[in-house]
Amino acid sequence: SNKNVITWDINNLPANSSEVIIYKEGSYLNDFRETGRVAASQAQFIDVSSNSTVKSERYAIAAVLNSGIISSKSEIHQTLHLTINKGITDGQWNLIWTPYKGREIATYRIMRGATPESLTLLAEISGMQLSYSNIANASEPYYALEYIPSPQLRSSGLKSANEDNSGRSNVVYSGDARTIVYMNNLNIMSVESDPVLNQDQQSLYLYAEIFPLNTTYQNVIWSIEAGSDLATIDQAGRLKGIPNTTGGTVTVKVTAIDGSQTVATRTFDVESISGGTSIPENPINSKRNTIVLYPNPVKDILYIESETEIENIIILNSSGVMVKRENQKVKEINVSALSLGVYFVVVQTETGICQGKFIRK
């Protein structure tokens, strides 16, 4: 019925739990409000207000003890949302989805069938993938995505889902597939003028330039193609050096998720980095070089205050793709054309580089 189902393992709840409270995120980031309350033994809750065909939702739960005390909230879990688009070539469909969040996913299973109720396994792919292309089959026009979590990744504390259970996305119909603008070129860029990892610069802020600028799906996946013993990269494009004594090179790969198969690679030098030193969250920020962003959340104009003169501003989406750039000495930037969501701001000043985060509401 396209409703989200929230489940939990009764054995993971605190002792003497009588009820479970279900929290759902509202219009603002991390604004979780109670959306339901059921007996703990029920082990599931159906969110009748949800519609999985429209968007992904974020949930958390908490347990109510017999004493009336309410536990802390669980980890946040975000549902899958699957879309279908017409491929670059005739007779091809591209499935694209937002990833399930809250557990590490071992594998995604692509399901296809003649009706939404008769889906069977078409393919199984890595949990790191966010898209899949398939040649059309007129007799089986319905698709869904099933996720299988990594069973070994059970952490302590209250969980909002049972790691042993799989889950499924919404069902999509190829007859509803739309035509999109595909990515045809990618470039990996670095905010730093001297992009090398060393003892003094243990992180690099990478971002992807995409073409054409009106590409429909402006998200990418970052990975290390070579040199994984020297650096790691997160899904926002931040490259972190790993303590080492040999130095070498690391090759970064960025991949489009829209089914276009567009990729780019770039190799960076890595010098020796001594062990025993933690890599700070933002090592290039300092007392002399900080920014203040306001209002936050923002609707139209984002103001940026800096103790030193601003030289240029880069705005990245949550995938590390550049969505806006201002190469002038300004202290405000119009973000009204950006989609709702979380963005990173990288500001170059006369004394260095610093980063901030804002929410476009």
mmCIF file of all heavy atoms in Angstrom, residues 186-215:
data_model
loop_
_atom_site.group_PDB
_atom_site.id
_atom_site.type_symbol
_atom_site.label_atom_id
_atom_site.label_comp_id
_atom_site.label_asym_id
_atom_site.label_seq_id
_atom_site.Cartn_x
_atom_site.Cartn_y
_atom_site.Cartn_z
ATOM 1 N N LEU A 186 32.544 14.764 -16.309
ATOM 2 C CA LEU A 186 32.836 14.999 -14.894
ATOM 3 C C LEU A 186 34.287 15.435 -14.756
ATOM 4 O O LEU A 186 35.168 14.919 -15.450
ATOM 5 C CB LEU A 186 32.650 13.706 -14.097
ATOM 6 C CG LEU A 186 31.298 13.398 -13.447
ATOM 7 C CD1 LEU A 186 31.328 11.975 -12.900
ATOM 8 C CD2 LEU A 186 30.999 14.380 -12.339
ATOM 9 N N ASN A 187 34.537 16.372 -13.843
ATOM 10 C CA ASN A 187 35.901 16.749 -13.496
ATOM 11 C C ASN A 187 36.043 16.728 -11.978
ATOM 12 O O ASN A 187 35.131 17.179 -11.261
ATOM 13 C CB ASN A 187 36.252 18.152 -14.000
ATOM 14 C CG ASN A 187 36.325 18.214 -15.507
ATOM 15 O OD1 ASN A 187 36.812 17.292 -16.149
ATOM 16 N ND2 ASN A 187 35.824 19.307 -16.079
ATOM 17 N N ILE A 188 37.159 16.212 -11.492
ATOM 18 C CA ILE A 188 37.444 16.238 -10.055
ATOM 19 C C ILE A 188 38.319 17.446 -9.778
ATOM 20 O O ILE A 188 39.412 17.582 -10.327
ATOM 21 C CB ILE A 188 38.155 14.947 -9.598
ATOM 22 C CG1 ILE A 188 37.246 13.734 -9.823
ATOM 23 C CG2 ILE A 188 38.548 15.051 -8.122
ATOM 24 C CD1 ILE A 188 37.905 12.410 -9.489
ATOM 25 N N MET A 189 37.827 18.311 -8.923
ATOM 26 C CA MET A 189 38.534 19.543 -8.589
ATOM 27 C C MET A 189 38.892 19.548 -7.105
ATOM 28 O O MET A 189 38.266 18.862 -6.294
ATOM 29 C CB MET A 189 37.669 20.764 -8.921
ATOM 30 C CG MET A 189 37.073 20.764 -10.313
ATOM 31 S SD MET A 189 38.320 20.832 -11.614
ATOM 32 C CE MET A 189 38.924 22.514 -11.394
ATOM 33 N N SER A 190 39.878 20.343 -6.746
ATOM 34 C CA SER A 190 40.286 20.500 -5.353
ATOM 35 C C SER A 190 40.198 21.961 -4.954
ATOM 36 O O SER A 190 40.602 22.846 -5.726
ATOM 37 C CB SER A 190 41.720 20.001 -5.156
ATOM 38 O OG SER A 190 42.194 20.336 -3.868
ATOM 39 N N VAL A 191 39.671 22.197 -3.770
ATOM 40 C CA VAL A 191 39.618 23.565 -3.271
ATOM 41 C C VAL A 191 41.024 24.084 -3.017
ATOM 42 O O VAL A 191 41.332 25.251 -3.268
ATOM 43 C CB VAL A 191 38.776 23.621 -1.980
ATOM 44 C CG1 VAL A 191 38.859 24.994 -1.344
ATOM 45 C CG2 VAL A 191 37.332 23.261 -2.278
ATOM 46 N N GLU A 192 41.894 23.210 -2.548
ATOM 47 C CA GLU A 192 43.261 23.616 -2.216
ATOM 48 C C GLU A 192 44.067 23.896 -3.479
ATOM 49 O O GLU A 192 43.971 23.158 -4.473
ATOM 50 C CB GLU A 192 43.966 22.522 -1.401
ATOM 51 C CG GLU A 192 43.397 22.313 -0.011
ATOM 52 C CD GLU A 192 42.100 21.528 -0.008
ATOM 53 O OE1 GLU A 192 41.743 20.940 -1.059
ATOM 54 O OE2 GLU A 192 41.436 21.511 1.034
ATOM 55 N N SER A 193 44.876 24.938 -3.455
ATOM 56 C CA SER A 193 45.708 25.283 -4.620
ATOM 57 C C SER A 193 46.851 24.301 -4.794
ATOM 58 O O SER A 193 47.344 24.105 -5.913
ATOM 59 C CB SER A 193 46.251 26.707 -4.469
ATOM 60 O OG SER A 193 46.998 26.833 -3.267
ATOM 61 N N ASP A 194 47.299 23.671 -3.705
ATOM 62 C CA ASP A 194 48.353 22.668 -3.765
ATOM 63 C C ASP A 194 47.775 21.364 -3.215
ATOM 64 O O ASP A 194 47.940 21.043 -2.031
ATOM 65 C CB ASP A 194 49.559 23.112 -2.937
ATOM 66 C CG ASP A 194 50.722 22.132 -3.047
ATOM 67 O OD1 ASP A 194 50.728 21.340 -4.008
ATOM 68 O OD2 ASP A 194 51.610 22.148 -2.161
ATOM 69 N N PRO A 195 47.084 20.582 -4.048
ATOM 70 C CA PRO A 195 46.358 19.402 -3.562
ATOM 71 C C PRO A 195 47.259 18.201 -3.299
ATOM 72 O O PRO A 195 47.348 17.268 -4.097
ATOM 73 C CB PRO A 195 45.358 19.125 -4.679
ATOM 74 C CG PRO A 195 46.044 19.609 -5.909
ATOM 75 C CD PRO A 195 46.865 20.794 -5.495
ATOM 76 N N VAL A 196 47.957 18.218 -2.189
ATOM 77 C CA VAL A 196 48.802 17.106 -1.780
ATOM 78 C C VAL A 196 48.515 16.807 -0.314
ATOM 79 O O VAL A 196 48.300 17.721 0.486
ATOM 80 C CB VAL A 196 50.297 17.435 -1.998
ATOM 81 C CG1 VAL A 196 50.689 18.689 -1.239
ATOM 82 C CG2 VAL A 196 51.168 16.259 -1.595
ATOM 83 N N LEU A 197 48.493 15.544 0.034
ATOM 84 C CA LEU A 197 48.292 15.138 1.426
ATOM 85 C C LEU A 197 49.649 15.002 2.103
ATOM 86 O O LEU A 197 50.527 14.279 1.608
ATOM 87 C CB LEU A 197 47.540 13.805 1.492
ATOM 88 C CG LEU A 197 46.080 13.818 1.055
ATOM 89 C CD1 LEU A 197 45.529 12.395 0.966
ATOM 90 C CD2 LEU A 197 45.221 14.647 2.008
ATOM 91 N N ASN A 198 49.793 15.698 3.228
ATOM 92 C CA ASN A 198 51.040 15.613 3.972
ATOM 93 C C ASN A 198 50.768 15.874 5.444
ATOM 94 O O ASN A 198 49.607 15.980 5.862
ATOM 95 C CB ASN A 198 52.093 16.589 3.417
ATOM 96 C CG ASN A 198 51.571 18.014 3.331
ATOM 97 O OD1 ASN A 198 50.795 18.456 4.179
ATOM 98 N ND2 ASN A 198 51.987 18.741 2.288
ATOM 99 N N GLN A 199 51.826 16.017 6.235
ATOM 100 C CA GLN A 199 51.658 16.187 7.674
ATOM 101 C C GLN A 199 50.887 17.450 8.013
ATOM 102 O O GLN A 199 50.079 17.469 8.944
ATOM 103 C CB GLN A 199 53.037 16.218 8.354
ATOM 104 C CG GLN A 199 52.990 16.197 9.876
ATOM 105 C CD GLN A 199 52.431 14.896 10.407
ATOM 106 O OE1 GLN A 199 52.625 13.838 9.831
ATOM 107 N NE2 GLN A 199 51.712 14.972 11.520
ATOM 108 N N ASP A 200 51.113 18.508 7.261
ATOM 109 C CA ASP A 200 50.447 19.787 7.546
ATOM 110 C C ASP A 200 49.071 19.883 6.911
ATOM 111 O O ASP A 200 48.228 20.658 7.358
ATOM 112 C CB ASP A 200 51.310 20.952 7.049
ATOM 113 C CG ASP A 200 52.620 21.038 7.792
ATOM 114 O OD1 ASP A 200 52.647 20.707 8.995
ATOM 115 O OD2 ASP A 200 53.626 21.419 7.155
ATOM 116 N N GLN A 201 48.845 19.146 5.853
ATOM 117 C CA GLN A 201 47.556 19.179 5.144
ATOM 118 C C GLN A 201 47.057 17.743 5.005
ATOM 119 O O GLN A 201 47.276 17.082 4.008
ATOM 120 C CB GLN A 201 47.750 19.833 3.773
ATOM 121 C CG GLN A 201 46.462 20.048 2.994
ATOM 122 C CD GLN A 201 46.687 20.878 1.743
ATOM 123 O OE1 GLN A 201 46.487 22.089 1.764
ATOM 124 N NE2 GLN A 201 47.109 20.248 0.662
ATOM 125 N N GLN A 202 46.378 17.272 6.046
ATOM 126 C CA GLN A 202 45.981 15.869 6.109
ATOM 127 C C GLN A 202 44.618 15.609 5.476
ATOM 128 O O GLN A 202 44.153 14.468 5.453
ATOM 129 C CB GLN A 202 46.007 15.379 7.557
ATOM 130 C CG GLN A 202 47.393 15.442 8.173
ATOM 131 C CD GLN A 202 47.430 14.872 9.574
ATOM 132 O OE1 GLN A 202 46.680 13.973 9.917
ATOM 133 N NE2 GLN A 202 48.319 15.409 10.405
ATOM 134 N N SER A 203 43.956 16.647 4.980
ATOM 135 C CA SER A 203 42.681 16.485 4.285
ATOM 136 C C SER A 203 42.652 17.377 3.055
ATOM 137 O O SER A 203 43.250 18.463 3.047
ATOM 138 C CB SER A 203 41.511 16.854 5.200
ATOM 139 O OG SER A 203 41.367 15.939 6.255
ATOM 140 N N LEU A 204 41.949 16.909 2.023
ATOM 141 C CA LEU A 204 41.692 17.717 0.840
ATOM 142 C C LEU A 204 40.194 17.786 0.615
ATOM 143 O O LEU A 204 39.487 16.778 0.778
ATOM 144 C CB LEU A 204 42.360 17.114 -0.402
ATOM 145 C CG LEU A 204 43.882 17.071 -0.436
ATOM 146 C CD1 LEU A 204 44.351 16.398 -1.716
ATOM 147 C CD2 LEU A 204 44.483 18.466 -0.321
ATOM 148 N N TYR A 205 39.714 18.962 0.225
ATOM 149 C CA TYR A 205 38.302 19.139 -0.077
ATOM 150 C C TYR A 205 38.110 19.033 -1.586
ATOM 151 O O TYR A 205 38.404 19.968 -2.334
ATOM 152 C CB TYR A 205 37.810 20.479 0.454
ATOM 153 C CG TYR A 205 37.739 20.513 1.950
ATOM 154 C CD1 TYR A 205 38.846 20.867 2.714
ATOM 155 C CD2 TYR A 205 36.574 20.154 2.617
ATOM 156 C CE1 TYR A 205 38.792 20.877 4.092
ATOM 157 C CE2 TYR A 205 36.509 20.161 3.999
ATOM 158 C CZ TYR A 205 37.630 20.520 4.722
ATOM 159 O OH TYR A 205 37.573 20.520 6.097
ATOM 160 N N LEU A 206 37.673 17.866 -2.031
ATOM 161 C CA LEU A 206 37.452 17.633 -3.450
ATOM 162 C C LEU A 206 35.991 17.890 -3.798
ATOM 163 O O LEU A 206 35.108 17.732 -2.958
ATOM 164 C CB LEU A 206 37.818 16.189 -3.823
ATOM 165 C CG LEU A 206 39.201 15.698 -3.404
ATOM 166 C CD1 LEU A 206 39.423 14.276 -3.903
ATOM 167 C CD2 LEU A 206 40.292 16.633 -3.889
ATOM 168 N N TYR A 207 35.765 18.283 -5.031
ATOM 169 C CA TYR A 207 34.385 18.431 -5.488
ATOM 170 C C TYR A 207 34.322 18.087 -6.971
ATOM 171 O O TYR A 207 35.336 18.052 -7.666
ATOM 172 C CB TYR A 207 33.847 19.838 -5.225
ATOM 173 C CG TYR A 207 34.556 20.969 -5.929
ATOM 174 C CD1 TYR A 207 34.129 21.424 -7.171
ATOM 175 C CD2 TYR A 207 35.651 21.601 -5.340
ATOM 176 C CE1 TYR A 207 34.764 22.479 -7.809
ATOM 177 C CE2 TYR A 207 36.298 22.654 -5.976
ATOM 178 C CZ TYR A 207 35.860 23.086 -7.205
ATOM 179 O OH TYR A 207 36.483 24.128 -7.831
ATOM 180 N N ALA A 208 33.131 17.766 -7.423
ATOM 181 C CA ALA A 208 32.926 17.351 -8.811
ATOM 182 C C ALA A 208 32.274 18.474 -9.603
ATOM 183 O O ALA A 208 31.261 19.033 -9.182
ATOM 184 C CB ALA A 208 32.058 16.102 -8.867
ATOM 185 N N GLU A 209 32.871 18.798 -10.734
ATOM 186 C CA GLU A 209 32.231 19.671 -11.715
ATOM 187 C C GLU A 209 31.507 18.779 -12.704
ATOM 188 O O GLU A 209 32.092 17.821 -13.221
ATOM 189 C CB GLU A 209 33.274 20.511 -12.456
ATOM 190 C CG GLU A 209 33.759 21.712 -11.708
ATOM 191 C CD GLU A 209 34.627 22.597 -12.585
ATOM 192 O OE1 GLU A 209 35.191 22.086 -13.579
ATOM 193 O OE2 GLU A 209 34.747 23.789 -12.284
ATOM 194 N N ILE A 210 30.229 19.058 -12.939
ATOM 195 C CA ILE A 210 29.444 18.212 -13.840
ATOM 196 C C ILE A 210 28.960 19.011 -15.044
ATOM 197 O O ILE A 210 28.743 20.218 -14.959
ATOM 198 C CB ILE A 210 28.242 17.582 -13.104
ATOM 199 C CG1 ILE A 210 27.266 18.666 -12.652
ATOM 200 C CG2 ILE A 210 28.693 16.752 -11.926
ATOM 201 C CD1 ILE A 210 25.957 18.110 -12.128
ATOM 202 N N PHE A 211 28.811 18.306 -16.140
ATOM 203 C CA PHE A 211 28.305 18.910 -17.376
ATOM 204 C C PHE A 211 27.334 17.936 -18.045
ATOM 205 O O PHE A 211 27.568 16.719 -18.020
ATOM 206 C CB PHE A 211 29.461 19.237 -18.329
ATOM 207 C CG PHE A 211 30.470 20.183 -17.748
ATOM 208 C CD1 PHE A 211 31.621 19.692 -17.141
ATOM 209 C CD2 PHE A 211 30.269 21.552 -17.776
ATOM 210 C CE1 PHE A 211 32.557 20.546 -16.596
ATOM 211 C CE2 PHE A 211 31.204 22.416 -17.232
ATOM 212 C CZ PHE A 211 32.348 21.913 -16.635
ATOM 213 N N PRO A 212 26.237 18.435 -18.634
ATOM 214 C CA PRO A 212 25.837 19.842 -18.659
ATOM 215 C C PRO A 212 25.363 20.319 -17.284
ATOM 216 O O PRO A 212 25.084 19.506 -16.399
ATOM 217 C CB PRO A 212 24.692 19.869 -19.675
ATOM 218 C CG PRO A 212 24.096 18.504 -19.590
ATOM 219 C CD PRO A 212 25.251 17.573 -19.336
ATOM 220 N N LEU A 213 25.259 21.622 -17.129
ATOM 221 C CA LEU A 213 24.896 22.190 -15.834
ATOM 222 C C LEU A 213 23.466 21.855 -15.429
ATOM 223 O O LEU A 213 23.135 21.884 -14.255
ATOM 224 C CB LEU A 213 25.088 23.710 -15.862
ATOM 225 C CG LEU A 213 26.525 24.189 -16.099
ATOM 226 C CD1 LEU A 213 26.566 25.710 -16.123
ATOM 227 C CD2 LEU A 213 27.477 23.634 -15.047
ATOM 228 N N ASN A 214 22.616 21.540 -16.411
ATOM 229 C CA ASN A 214 21.215 21.219 -16.103
ATOM 230 C C ASN A 214 20.983 19.713 -15.987
ATOM 231 O O ASN A 214 19.865 19.232 -16.154
ATOM 232 C CB ASN A 214 20.277 21.811 -17.150
ATOM 233 C CG ASN A 214 20.519 21.241 -18.541
ATOM 234 O OD1 ASN A 214 21.612 20.766 -18.839
ATOM 235 N ND2 ASN A 214 19.510 21.302 -19.398
ATOM 236 N N THR A 215 22.057 18.943 -15.706
ATOM 237 C CA THR A 215 21.913 17.508 -15.466
ATOM 238 C C THR A 215 20.849 17.268 -14.413
ATOM 239 O O THR A 215 20.836 17.932 -13.370
ATOM 240 C CB THR A 215 23.258 16.918 -14.998
ATOM 241 O OG1 THR A 215 24.214 17.061 -16.052
ATOM 242 C CG2 THR A 215 23.117 15.460 -14.637
#
